[in-house]
Amino acid sequence: MSSSKKQSGSLQEKPGISQPEITNVAAINQIKKNRRQQPSSAELITGILAGNRTALSRAITLAESTNPEHAEKANEVITGCLPHANKSIRIGITGVPGVGKSTFIEAFGTFLTQLGKKVAVLAVDPSSSLSHGSILGDKTRMEELVKDENAFIRPSASGDTLGGVARKTREAIILCEAAGFDTIIIETVGVGQSETAVHSMVDFFLLLKISGAGDELQGIKRGIMEMADAIVINKADGDNIKKANQAKLEFNRALHLFPQKKSNWQPKVTTCSAITGEGISAIWETISSYVDTMTASGYFQEKRKEQNHFWMMETINEQLKLNFFTQPEIISQLEQNKKAVQNDEISPFAAAQLLLNIYAKIQK
Amino acid sequence: MSSSKKQSGSLQEKPGISQPEITNVAAINQIKKNRRQQPSSAELITGILAGNRTALSRAITLAESTNPEHAEKANEVITGCLPHANKSIRIGITGVPGVGKSTFIEAFGTFLTQLGKKVAVLAVDPSSSLSHGSILGDKTRMEELVKDENAFIRPSASGDTLGGVARKTREAIILCEAAGFDTIIIETVGVGQSETAVHSMVDFFLLLKISGAGDELQGIKRGIMEMADAIVINKADGDNIKKANQAKLEFNRALHLFPQKKSNWQPKVTTCSAITGEGISAIWETISSYVDTMTASGYFQEKRKEQNHFWMMETINEQLKLNFFTQPEIISQLEQNKKAVQNDEISPFAAAQLLLNIYAKIQK
């Protein structure tokens, strides 16, 4: 019956294109040989520490892999790189689509490499597995930077969960730093929880905005403004300059209403044009001044320690949940308990206890 | 040696006051008899549904108990009460110390009982186990309400964690509703995460403020303003009226900057005086209008379902963490891993995996 259904179904698909069989023995051997030639973790570490970009790319790919063997090797490489990491400034950049993030990073990154900096650009975009990279998927949007030998651009890791993507990005930061990159830019798109994840892996968090018509603050997520160490109003060129300055005033007033940050840093609002380059150097001065002040006060190092601790705890918590919610017995019981709870047939706490008891039995 | 140390120690304590021994057989038997006379869960349910306040108090005490036997019995009572619960309006009230929460609840609660409402006042104060109840510990602050036979006041459950206190309060809500209370007020103090917990168990969230000198918004936690369905500026009496109206304007302007709520409700700002009673009825009109609108749109029921679901998931997640972090092997390994992670000797992810592996071995 299911086969007849298939034939008559209006959603029926054509048979897929069949895969060509590899019958060429030489070709098979070549493929196997190439596989054997994958560098060892020691070779990758040596390569990365020497600043070899191929070794760096390969190590990031390993860290992104879901293959358990690759994960183990990636862990070896990361552990080997760790003592040489952490000597960089990590800058998070967020902004909704349309504010010109790519153009800004192109201008800002190029400005930094001209100062002699080595710049790595990473991205956190949990939606990238669906959209195949809605940000940084297209490197052509950073034409200059992509050719710059002091820059390294890597699209967002893919993954089903923000936690997974964030973890891979954290590991990529370590690898880039060990390869000698001293300025790490992490781009994220202004949706969902990805800003919070990026905020918890950077030293400095920059919110990119453009001036619009009327009320600049309307609809902006408060949490994001609260996280920002600087707000940069982009596209402040031509007819926009006046509006951008007005937006700057409004943001300054709004920021004033926020409680003092733990770092005691008063967030700065500036305008810039990624096209004319106006205001780009001032942003770097702000970041440098932040780093100097926070290093002197000890907050810089303290924050990194806290972030490391946060990620350890976060990983444990995520994994505990994953272990629980992927148990077939839990999956099969969860839905009916959810319904019973929603319909007030059982209290949320009793339902939770019931599921936890099932889980405890499974584990024994 | 330890005994000689004890004798010579400067922190040595005097022997405690010795407990009188109970030698009176009749007294012992009376105590045992009283214990035996603890009502059964069926009796408690019957009592609660009949509106018996002693039964209600006893059931809440059972639910607050850490004794596993009590917990089981409490679960039976709660399950029995559930079909009769949920027919109330749950109102959360928060505000920093000094805004006059107790006086406000006294005035507001008395207003409601005069309308014929049955009002239960509960509190969420995770610090109460230390301070022995910094809020609602002293019922004398609600002199009228405490004597009102249509009101029921219960101090905050004590507990080490907010999750624990919140759970007990959620259960107390169910019990109060089953006992016929149609208006549940949950008071919390404006510190820590307790507002978020209260927000996730009420239908309507009210932020109590007073007008001060100058910038009203300075330093206010953004998250709390974002949660508020109404902001009430209390102490709008005498010389304060003008300042309170000014504050009302400022809050209205600030609220305007927030994104639209999921409920489409535009939060209201009003002034009131708990002393003169001015503005109290308007607050009730606002809440009634909220309930009517949200019931008509289906949002009221939807939100309660979501809250039930949230508490089930939250309980599971909390318990999973608790099970993990209370394992002696984890406790003994956590500290050194924490240090290694903070000092960049191991990556946060590798450390997490190490601890998770230890946990997996324990469970087998």
Side-chain angles (χ1 to χ4, degrees):
Chain A
M1 193 199 131
S2 91
S3 112
S4 80
K5 224 177 177 177
K6 216 172 180 178
Q7 280 170 353
S8 65
S10 60
L11 289 169
Q12 168 195 353
E13 283 180 23
K14 289 186 185 171
I17 296 160
S18 60
Q19 292 293 317
E21 277 178 61
I22 300 175
T23 46
N24 187 327
V25 178
I28 292 174
N29 286 340
Q30 186 58 41
I31 288 169
K32 284 189 179 161
K33 200 175 158 215
N34 285 349
R35 280 197 193 140
R36 274 200 300 274
Q37 280 178 345
Q38 282 292 327
S40 70
S41 50
E43 282 165 339
L44 280 175
I45 296 169
T46 312
I48 290 169
L49 296 182
N52 180 308
R53 303 165 73 98
T54 312
L56 174 59
S57 289
R58 277 189 165 168
I60 296 178
T61 305
L62 266 184
E64 288 177 353
S65 167
T66 50
N67 178 330
E69 258 177 61
H70 292 175
E72 203 181 305
K73 196 169 166 186
N75 269 342
E76 287 169 21
V77 176
I78 292 160
T79 305
C81 285
L82 255 180
H84 309 277
N86 276 299
K87 292 168 197 109
S88 78
I89 302 171
R90 302 168 185 166
I91 304 164
I93 296 181
T94 189
V96 294
V99 295
K101 278 198 298 298
S102 298
T103 325
F104 175 79
I105 293 171
E106 163 98 337
F108 186 55
T110 307
F111 170 85
L112 291 173
T113 59
Q114 279 165 3
L115 282 186
K117 304 278 173 200
K118 292 195 71 186
V119 179
V121 182
L122 307 171
V124 170
D125 178 10
S127 67
S128 66
S129 51
L130 291 172
S131 63
H132 297 292
S134 65
I135 55 173
L136 279 179
D138 184 7
K139 284 193 187 180
T140 55
R141 289 187 299 158
M142 296 184 192
E143 275 178 25
E144 287 298 314
L145 210 55
V146 83
K147 287 179 289 185
D148 195 323
E149 61 176 22
N150 284 318
F152 176 82
I153 303 181
R154 178 92 186 183
S156 177
S158 63
D160 293 332
T161 64
L162 175 59
V165 175
R167 174 197 170 135
K168 291 165 189 174
T169 312
R170 281 270 312 188
E171 293 177 333
I173 294 175
I174 293 169
L175 297 169
C176 288
E177 288 174 345
F181 289 94
D182 52 31
T183 315
I184 316 285
I185 294 175
I186 326 271
E187 178 186 0
T188 191
V189 73
V191 290
Q193 294 294 307
S194 55
E195 282 97 353
T196 313
V198 170
H199 180 252
S200 63
M201 60 176 83
V202 298
D203 308 310
F204 190 93
F205 196 66
L206 191 154
L207 170 60
L208 208 61
K209 295 286 297 177
I210 42 170
S211 62
D215 193 343
E216 303 305 336
L217 302 165
Q218 180 76 42
I220 192 176
K221 276 196 274 172
R222 305 326 267 181
I224 294 178
M225 264 189 76
E226 202 146 358
M227 287 191 287
D229 296 304
I231 297 177
V232 174
I233 298 140
N234 193 20
K235 304 193 183 176
D237 37 40
D239 295 344
N240 270 325
I241 294 179
K242 208 175 160 185
K243 278 197 285 181
N245 284 328
Q246 181 57 33
K248 181 179 161 179
L249 273 177
E250 283 193 37
F251 277 111
N252 256 325
R253 208 179 303 141
L255 279 174
H256 182 68
L257 299 175
F258 285 76
Q260 183 82 327
K261 275 172 181 278
K262 208 175 141 197
S263 57
N264 286 326
W265 175 257
Q266 178 59 40
K268 304 281 181 290
V269 188
T270 57
T271 61
C272 90
S273 165
I275 307 293
T276 67
E278 187 77 33
I280 294 285
S281 68
I283 295 166
W284 178 242
E285 278 162 32
T286 298
I287 297 175
S288 301
S289 137
Y290 176 90
V291 173
D292 290 348
T293 316
M294 297 306 144
T295 307
S297 73
Y299 182 81
F300 190 89
Q301 301 81 340
E302 205 45 53
K303 188 176 173 186
R304 285 209 171 174
K305 281 187 182 182
E306 273 174 25
Q307 289 178 336
N308 280 350
H309 180 239
F310 168 83
W311 283 103
M312 179 178 83
M313 300 302 268
E314 192 71 0
T315 307
I316 291 172
N317 296 342
E318 284 301 314
Q319 198 56 50
L320 291 176
K321 280 197 251 179
L322 197 67
N323 290 348
F324 182 89
F325 288 106
T326 52
Q327 294 290 338
E329 291 88 339
I330 296 295
I331 294 170
S332 76
Q333 292 288 318
L334 186 63
E335 213 41 49
Q336 69 184 80
N337 272 285
K338 212 188 258 185
K339 274 192 196 128
V341 158
Q342 289 183 330
N343 297 329
D344 285 306
E345 291 155 18
I346 183 172
S347 91
F349 308 105
Q353 200 50 58
L354 210 142
L355 292 167
L356 287 160
N357 291 346
I358 294 172
Y359 188 56
K361 269 186 206 145
I362 299 168
Q363 288 178 310
K364 260 160 202 159
Chain B
M1 193 199 131
S2 92
S3 112
S4 78
K5 223 179 179 175
K6 217 171 179 181
Q7 283 171 350
S8 64
S10 58
L11 290 169
Q12 170 196 352
E13 283 179 23
K14 288 188 182 165
I17 296 161
S18 60
Q19 293 294 316
E21 276 177 65
I22 300 176
T23 46
N24 186 326
V25 178
I28 292 176
N29 286 341
Q30 187 56 42
I31 289 169
K32 283 190 180 161
K33 200 175 156 216
N34 286 349
R35 280 197 194 140
R36 272 200 302 274
Q37 279 176 342
Q38 281 293 324
S40 68
S41 49
E43 283 165 339
L44 281 175
I45 295 169
T46 312
I48 291 170
L49 295 183
N52 181 308
R53 303 166 73 101
T54 312
L56 174 60
S57 289
R58 277 190 165 167
I60 297 179
T61 306
L62 267 185
E64 287 176 354
S65 167
T66 51
N67 177 330
E69 257 177 63
H70 292 175
E72 204 180 306
K73 195 168 167 187
N75 269 342
E76 288 168 20
V77 177
I78 292 159
T79 306
C81 285
L82 256 181
H84 310 276
N86 275 298
K87 293 167 196 112
S88 78
I89 301 172
R90 302 169 184 165
I91 304 163
I93 297 181
T94 189
V96 295
V99 295
K101 276 197 299 298
S102 298
T103 324
F104 175 79
I105 293 171
E106 164 99 337
F108 186 55
T110 306
F111 171 83
L112 291 174
T113 58
Q114 280 165 3
L115 282 187
K117 302 278 173 202
K118 292 196 71 186
V119 179
V121 182
L122 307 171
V124 170
D125 178 10
S127 67
S128 66
S129 52
L130 291 171
S131 63
H132 297 291
S134 65
I135 55 173
L136 280 178
D138 186 6
K139 284 192 187 179
T140 54
R141 288 187 299 158
M142 298 185 192
E143 276 178 24
E144 288 297 315
L145 210 55
V146 83
K147 287 180 287 183
D148 195 325
E149 61 177 23
N150 285 317
F152 176 83
I153 303 182
R154 178 94 187 182
S156 177
S158 63
D160 293 332
T161 64
L162 174 59
V165 175
R167 174 198 170 134
K168 291 166 189 171
T169 311
R170 282 270 313 187
E171 293 177 333
I173 294 176
I174 293 170
L175 296 169
C176 288
E177 288 174 344
F181 289 95
D182 52 31
T183 315
I184 316 285
I185 294 176
I186 326 269
E187 178 185 0
T188 190
V189 72
V191 290
Q193 294 295 307
S194 54
E195 282 96 353
T196 313
V198 170
H199 180 252
S200 63
M201 61 176 85
V202 298
D203 307 310
F204 191 93
F205 197 67
L206 191 154
L207 171 60
L208 208 61
K209 296 286 298 178
I210 42 169
S211 62
D215 193 344
E216 302 306 336
L217 302 164
Q218 180 75 42
I220 192 175
K221 276 196 271 172
R222 304 325 266 181
I224 294 178
M225 265 188 77
E226 205 148 354
M227 287 190 289
D229 295 304
I231 297 177
V232 174
I233 298 142
N234 193 19
K235 303 193 183 175
D237 37 41
D239 296 344
N240 268 326
I241 295 179
K242 208 175 159 184
K243 276 196 286 179
N245 284 326
Q246 181 57 35
K248 181 179 161 181
L249 274 178
E250 282 192 38
F251 277 110
N252 256 324
R253 207 180 304 139
L255 280 175
H256 182 69
L257 300 175
F258 285 76
Q260 183 81 329
K261 276 176 181 273
K262 210 177 142 197
S263 57
N264 285 325
W265 175 257
Q266 178 59 41
K268 303 281 179 291
V269 187
T270 58
T271 61
C272 90
S273 164
I275 307 294
T276 68
E278 187 77 35
I280 293 286
S281 69
I283 295 164
W284 177 242
E285 279 162 33
T286 299
I287 296 175
S288 300
S289 137
Y290 176 89
V291 173
D292 290 347
T293 318
M294 295 308 143
T295 306
S297 73
Y299 182 81
F300 190 89
Q301 300 81 341
E302 205 46 53
K303 188 176 172 185
R304 285 210 170 172
K305 282 186 182 181
E306 272 174 28
Q307 288 178 338
N308 280 350
H309 181 238
F310 168 82
W311 283 104
M312 178 178 83
M313 300 302 267
E314 194 70 1
T315 306
I316 292 171
N317 296 342
E318 283 304 311
Q319 198 56 50
L320 290 174
K321 279 197 253 179
L322 197 68
N323 291 347
F324 183 90
F325 287 108
T326 52
Q327 294 289 339
E329 292 88 338
I330 297 296
I331 294 170
S332 76
Q333 291 289 317
L334 186 63
E335 213 40 49
Q336 71 187 78
N337 271 285
K338 213 187 257 186
K339 274 194 194 125
V341 158
Q342 288 182 332
N343 297 329
D344 285 307
E345 291 155 20
I346 182 171
S347 92
F349 308 104
Q353 200 50 59
L354 212 141
L355 292 166
L356 287 161
N357 291 345
I358 294 173
Y359 187 56
K361 269 187 207 144
I362 299 169
Q363 289 178 306
K364 262 161 202 160

